[in-house]
């Protein structure tokens, strides 16, 4: 599958009809989601980290890209990968590693370890370099961490999103933005908006109703699976 196919999935979507992308953490979960009929997948870095025995943000790049490659090989649908802040790689190295792994999209964060926001113009300049290296071969989902690592100011989120889309991002991801702010964010942002659903956040139906273009789950699905296994293990010992 190509980035063109994946990019087209984001475009022209009506309110209430978001692109829903499950988050696989290994080849087996990826196959399960693809066989359930989902048109594309979005790998969460936190889910992969947990599956490999690392804390979120601590997965060595070689292991992350190897995990991405295994997931891509397991399915025939487009796969996007959360590669955090780019692992300190140059834009050319980062794009090369993603394409080598077979990914057609990526998430890129605008905070350091989810705690300190990056300078938005400097980050936009870096995103522009990633876009220049990738051409149209990657769908770039630019994470906006205003509600995670900042003061939660919608105006800041809109300003960052505008810089990132101008730099070439295909989609912006105001992670943890309250769903009721989506209309305000939509008024200020041109292009697709990714929101996160899960047990500790809004539901898919709620986010669809508020106008999300794309819905992902972060590590929620991997954590749900581990919870189910934990319950099974306890029952087997009862």
């Amino acid at each position: 599958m190509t980035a063109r196919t994946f990019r087209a999935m984001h475009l022209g979507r009506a309110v209430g009809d978001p692109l829903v992308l499950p988050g696989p953490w290994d080849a087996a979960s990826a196959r399960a989601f693809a066989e359930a009929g989902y048109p594309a997948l979005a790998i969460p870095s936190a889910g992969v980290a947990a599956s490999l025995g690392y804390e979120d943000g601590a997965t060595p790049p070689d292991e992350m890209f190897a995990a991405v490659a295994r997931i891509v090989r397991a399915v025939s649908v487009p796969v996007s990968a959360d590669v955090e802040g780019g692992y300190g790689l140059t834009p050319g190295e980062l794009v090369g590693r993603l394409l080598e792994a077979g990914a057609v999209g990526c998430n890129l964060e605008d905070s350091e370890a989810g705690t300190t926001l990056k300078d938005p113009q400097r980050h936009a300049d870096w995103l522009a370099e990633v876009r220049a290296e990738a051409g149209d071969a990657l769908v770039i989902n630019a994470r906006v961490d205003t509600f995670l690592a900042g003061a939660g100011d919608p105006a800041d989120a809109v300003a960052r999103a505008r810089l990132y889309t101008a730099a070439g991002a295909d989609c912006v991801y105001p992670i943890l933005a309250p769903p009721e702010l989506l209309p305000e964010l939509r008024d200020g942002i041109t292009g697709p908006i990714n929101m996160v659903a899960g047990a500790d956040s809004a539901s898919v139906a709620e986010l669809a109703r508020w106008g999300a273009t794309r819905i992902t789950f972060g590590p929620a699905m991997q954590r749900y699976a581990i919870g189910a296994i934990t319950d099974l293990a306890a029952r087997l010992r009862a």
Side-chain angles (χ1 to χ4, degrees):
M1 287 288 187
T2 66
R4 178 179 298 179
T5 299
F6 187 44
R7 185 173 289 110
M9 294 178 185
H10 295 72
L11 303 178
R13 306 197 75 93
V15 172
D17 179 34
L19 174 62
V20 179
L21 302 176
W25 56 94
D26 60 13
S29 59
R31 286 195 189 101
F33 294 137
E35 289 171 2
Y38 289 95
L41 307 175
I43 301 170
S45 62
V48 171
S51 75
L52 296 176
Y54 294 103
E55 294 296 321
D56 185 18
T59 308
D62 286 351
E63 293 197 46
M64 182 61 72
F65 288 113
V68 173
R70 287 192 294 271
I71 289 170
V72 169
R73 286 197 301 268
V75 297
S76 59
V77 299
V79 176
S80 181
D82 177 2
V83 288
E84 302 174 347
Y87 306 114
L89 300 172
T90 67
E93 291 169 336
L94 177 61
V95 169
R97 295 296 298 271
L98 282 163
L99 296 181
E100 181 182 25
V104 298
C106 63
N107 280 12
L108 294 169
E109 303 171 0
D110 74 340
S111 68
E112 300 289 352
T115 59
T116 305
L117 287 171
K118 297 178 181 178
D119 177 82
Q121 185 59 63
R122 190 172 303 165
H123 186 62
D125 292 343
W126 181 76
L127 287 174
E129 292 182 49
V130 174
R131 169 54 70 209
E133 292 287 346
D136 64 357
L138 286 174
V139 174
I140 297 174
N141 188 32
R143 210 173 83 177
V144 177
D145 286 3
T146 298
F147 301 95
L148 174 68
D153 179 4
D156 176 73
V158 168
R160 287 173 177 270
R162 286 176 171 173
L163 283 172
Y164 305 160
T165 55
D170 298 279
C171 183
V172 294
Y173 178 14
I175 188 170
L176 301 187
E180 62 270 19
L181 288 181
L182 256 174
E184 182 177 348
L185 296 176
R186 278 210 157 280
D187 284 345
I189 298 169
T190 300
I193 298 177
N194 187 143
M195 294 288 281
V196 64
D200 298 324
S201 53
S203 68
V204 169
E206 185 179 10
L207 292 172
R209 185 168 62 251
W210 285 106
T213 314
R214 161 174 157 164
I215 297 175
T216 53
F217 300 87
M221 292 182 164
Q222 188 265 348
R223 291 172 181 169
Y224 177 87
I226 292 301
I229 291 170
T230 300
D231 290 344
L232 173 62
R235 289 199 303 273
L236 292 174
R237 289 179 59 85

